[in-house]
Amino acid sequence: MTSEAPLIEVSDLTVSYPVRRGVLSRAVERLKAVDGVTFSVRRGETLGLVGESGCGKSTLGRAVLRLVEPDRGSIRFDGRELVGLAAGAMRALRRRMQLIFQDPYGSLDPRMTVAEIVGEPLAVHGLGRRSERNRRVEALLAQMGIERDALRRYPHEFSGGQRQRIGIARALAVRPDFVVADEPLSALDVSIQAQIVNLLADLQRGLGLTFLFIAHDLRVIEHVSTEVAVMYLGRIVERAPTATLFSRPHHPYTQALLASAPATDPRHRRVRAPLGGEPPSALDPPPGCPFHPRCPQAFDRCRLERPALASVGAQHLSACFLAPPGTA
Ligand code: ADP
Ligand code: MG
């Protein structure tokens, strides 16, 4: 499986939003939410995307599905370029790429029954006759652990965890190859989170799904990801296979994130300074390394020059001037 070509290949992707500084300002500036991001995900694997709130994770996830238009860059899905693809061709591909939302409360239409919610994407893409669609919806909900009598009920009659299962059933109804899961657990109780993680892991194995899994909880990322990308202020600052990232984090930002998260594996427990302060505004990124104002290890060069994402080990990239371990 690992030798296969990537299902999704993103290169130099940049996305900005028009914003006004202050309510009275007429001048429109561009806020770069995603700035020159490059990564790929192989079939059946999961790239975990982690970083503090506002660093651009959702924008990146949506841009990869072309739900937000990028300023520049390339998105190849199964070998086809999505940037600039005509609407018709994009619609046909859209079935194969789905989004699981963060908020199982806001993302399900309260006026639709569960059967209608899960069946809608099948109807939209014209997949199967009504009776076949109904059978597929029933089978999917059974797979998600939702009882049969739920079909004619409405979203408000369910708990948060059940609603997220309904949202997942809806995303998977059209048998996608690629799924962007945007913080699918953060609105759920901790006790429910593990159930949903296990459900997603089972589905991935069973269906061979490829995931871009966005989370700010590193324990979840460690559990579900093949590879991890750490984002800071619109850029990927470290990327590595999951075991490498958790045992040998290179970037001081990754180290600080790990120090702030409770370790699940005692071998990974480490004593480091937790993350202090707030990320700077994407409208006013600091010169040099964007992390330098918060970095306990910053030195002169970091204030002047921005480090490029470069190799610090096998399949391990980091955007930091500090020497890789063992080479200093
Ligand atoms: P995350 O998902 O990591 O929290 P987002 O992608 O939601 O980050 O946001 C990245 C940056 O883009 C933030 O500075 C946010 O305020 C800004 N942003 C997000 N959506 C919009 C929008 N529609 N218009 C203007 N700015 C936006
Ligand atoms: Mg987000």
Side-chain angles (χ1 to χ4, degrees):
M1 194 177 273
T2 47
S3 60
E4 267 193 70
L7 179 63
I8 195 103
E9 285 178 279
V10 169
S11 128
D12 196 27
L13 195 68
T14 298
V15 187
S16 68
Y17 296 110
V19 291
R20 282 172 212 282
R21 244 185 241 256
V23 266
L24 297 176
S25 168
R26 283 174 172 271
V28 175
E29 295 177 56
R30 307 289 304 184
L31 180 149
K32 270 193 188 170
V34 172
D35 192 359
V37 163
T38 298
F39 66 85
S40 59
V41 194
R42 284 186 293 257
R43 260 171 232 281
E45 297 198 346
T46 296
L47 177 68
L49 186 62
V50 67
E52 286 164 290
S53 178
C55 71
K57 303 181 297 297
S58 294
T59 303
L60 177 57
R62 287 166 180 275
V64 169
L65 301 178
R66 267 198 64 196
L67 300 171
V68 184
E69 274 309 300
D71 302 10
R72 60 155 212 267
S74 152
I75 305 160
R76 293 183 78 83
F77 173 74
D78 206 4
R80 287 182 73 181
E81 178 60 56
L82 299 188
V83 176
L85 194 65
M90 191 60 223
R91 209 172 303 125
L93 278 181
R94 187 142 275 148
R95 179 193 68 75
R96 299 178 55 194
M97 317 170 77
Q98 294 291 314
L99 179 64
I100 296 174
F101 294 89
Q102 170 172 359
D103 177 13
Y105 299 87
S107 57
L108 305 179
D109 188 332
R111 293 156 306 180
M112 287 167 75
T113 65
V114 169
E116 287 165 348
I117 287 170
V118 178
E120 186 182 54
L122 292 169
V124 165
H125 288 282
L127 300 174
R129 282 197 302 271
R130 178 181 280 273
S131 59
E132 295 165 50
R133 292 204 299 263
N134 288 344
R135 272 200 302 281
R136 171 122 183 92
V137 168
E138 276 183 33
L140 263 165
L141 287 168
Q143 213 178 342
M144 301 300 143
I146 303 271
E147 315 104 60
R148 210 162 169 276
D149 74 346
L151 285 165
R152 267 163 297 280
R153 285 157 61 195
Y154 292 86
H156 73 265
E157 299 176 58
F158 296 88
S159 69
Q162 286 172 318
R163 279 189 232 207
Q164 193 53 296
R165 288 168 192 269
I166 294 164
I168 293 168
R170 178 182 162 90
L172 299 185
V174 291
R175 302 183 201 273
D177 303 283
F178 177 59
V179 175
V180 174
D182 189 356
E183 306 211 36
L185 309 172
S186 46
L188 306 177
D189 290 342
V190 175
S191 58
I192 309 294
Q193 288 184 0
Q195 294 174 16
I196 300 291
V197 166
N198 292 333
L199 173 66
L200 288 171
D202 289 348
L203 289 167
Q204 173 162 41
R205 271 193 299 276
L207 304 173
L209 292 170
T210 306
F211 271 103
L212 176 63
F213 197 104
I214 301 172
H216 60 249
D217 185 336
L218 279 161
R219 287 167 302 178
V220 172
I221 286 284
E222 183 175 19
H223 192 78
V224 302
S225 310
T226 324
E227 197 189 8
V228 181
V230 180
M231 242 181 134
Y232 192 75
L233 222 59
R235 296 198 176 98
I236 291 179
V237 296
E238 183 159 12
R239 224 175 72 200
T242 306
T244 307
L245 189 106
F246 279 82
S247 59
R248 292 192 302 283
H250 180 262
H251 201 288
Y253 179 60
T254 310
Q255 294 173 1
L257 283 180
L258 287 172
S260 326
T264 41
D265 181 342
R267 284 172 304 169
H268 294 165
R269 201 164 289 148
R270 55 191 61 244
V271 182
R272 284 181 204 274
L275 198 53
E278 295 279 309
S281 159
L283 270 177
D284 271 313
C289 171
F291 187 58
H292 90 256
R294 301 169 80 191
C295 182
Q297 300 181 72
F299 50 100
D300 288 346
R301 189 180 178 192
C302 311
R303 290 177 257 277
L304 302 168
E305 245 182 275
R306 177 155 60 81
L309 195 59
S311 174
V312 291
Q315 297 171 276
H316 191 173
L317 302 171
S318 176
C320 176
F321 293 128
L322 292 171
T327 61

